[in-house]
Amino acid sequence: MSTAADPGDGVSRLRALHRGRDAGDPLVLPGPWDAASAQIFAEAGFEALATPSHGVAASLGHADGETPADEMFAAVARIVRAVEVPVTADIERGYGLPPGRIVERLLEAGAAGCNLEDSEGGEMAAPERQAEFLSAVVTAARGRLLVNARIDSYLRDVPDPLADALARARLYAEAGAECVYPIGAPLADIRVLARELETPVNALATVDGPAPRELGAAGARRITFGGGLMVRASAAVRDMARELRGT
């Protein structure tokens, strides 16, 4: 088993990976759901990893969004310990913990960054309220975590998701988020968001959507996969199980 790098070194490395990237060469962050998958991605040469809450939840036997905080942070810690590359963690909206405690739990787990989303229970938080929350997390982190602000405008019943995502992204960047994640934004909107925002844009890559290089060419500087890689791996295991059963 590898020995995890120092968290302070990890966040510096993670920040550096977001900078100076050419169009079409985004930072691609696979989403490991356990220590074994993390080691496979790291051994393949990926420079950093991004845990998905959906994938981790499934690996622990929970539905997406129903993982207890202690189990999620423990899973992140196991992944961090398994690799030497920086790991950023999807922790949904922080499990109701106060900002200072969120930071403590992430640092205890060895994470170099985190995703924090702006909806909970199917409802989006008011943008100003979410910006205040993000600002409190950033202040508590004191530079020790890279905060990626997930924007759920494309997942909810928002009349103009592009305009809403742009407004939220600007507020969240002012609050200290170093990356914004308009999850589910189509390629055309990624182009607009990347052009209009100074903050790096994280795009979601899906099996039936644009490839990472296409998203990068559109302006996305960071690519993640949500629970998609875990779903693909599970499908492979399902096929193997059928083969073993002779069906």
Side-chain angles (χ1 to χ4, degrees):
M1 180 182 293
S2 302
T3 302
D6 175 73
D9 175 61
V11 70
S12 297
R13 291 157 64 198
L14 186 62
R15 283 197 176 100
L17 290 170
H18 285 74
R19 298 176 183 141
R21 307 200 71 91
D22 296 329
D25 180 34
L27 173 61
V28 178
L29 300 176
W33 51 94
D34 59 13
S37 59
Q39 288 176 329
I40 290 169
F41 290 132
E43 288 166 3
F46 289 98
E47 297 177 279
L49 305 174
T51 69
S53 62
H54 177 196
V56 173
S59 76
L60 297 172
H62 297 293
D64 188 21
E66 295 184 7
T67 309
D70 286 348
E71 291 191 42
M72 181 62 74
F73 286 112
V76 171
R78 287 191 293 273
I79 289 168
V80 170
R81 287 196 301 268
V83 296
E84 294 181 349
V85 299
V87 175
T88 180
D90 178 356
I91 55 165
E92 302 177 45
R93 200 165 181 268
Y95 309 106
L97 298 171
R101 186 59 181 147
I102 288 172
V103 170
E104 288 175 3
R105 295 298 301 268
L106 286 165
L107 294 176
E108 288 168 359
C114 67
N115 278 12
L116 286 168
E117 59 197 57
D118 59 0
S119 63
E120 192 169 32
E123 298 292 331
M124 294 189 73
E128 295 80 8
R129 175 169 163 252
Q130 181 69 6
E132 290 175 1
F133 171 63
L134 291 169
S135 178
V137 172
V138 169
T139 298
R142 302 197 310 276
R144 296 171 292 174
L145 294 167
L146 189 154
V147 174
N148 184 31
R150 198 180 98 173
I151 301 168
D152 287 0
S153 307
Y154 291 90
L155 304 183
R156 309 301 174 199
D157 188 19
V158 175
D160 188 344
L162 176 57
D164 189 66
L166 277 169
R168 287 175 178 270
R170 292 185 176 113
L171 275 176
Y172 300 168
E174 289 174 6
E178 296 180 65
C179 190
V180 292
Y181 182 18
I183 185 170
L187 195 62
D189 287 9
I190 291 290
R191 292 191 182 97
V192 177
L193 289 156
R195 184 179 67 242
E196 296 293 327
L197 300 171
E198 295 182 7
T199 310
V201 173
N202 182 156
L204 174 70
T206 60
V207 172
D208 57 353
R213 283 194 175 277
E214 292 178 89
L215 294 167
R221 276 198 264 168
R222 167 169 156 163
I223 309 297
T224 52
F225 301 85
L229 301 181
M230 179 276 302
V231 170
R232 289 172 61 184
S234 296
V237 173
R238 192 171 293 110
D239 289 343
M240 181 172 60
R242 288 176 180 144
E243 179 184 343
L244 293 172
R245 288 282 297 172
T247 59

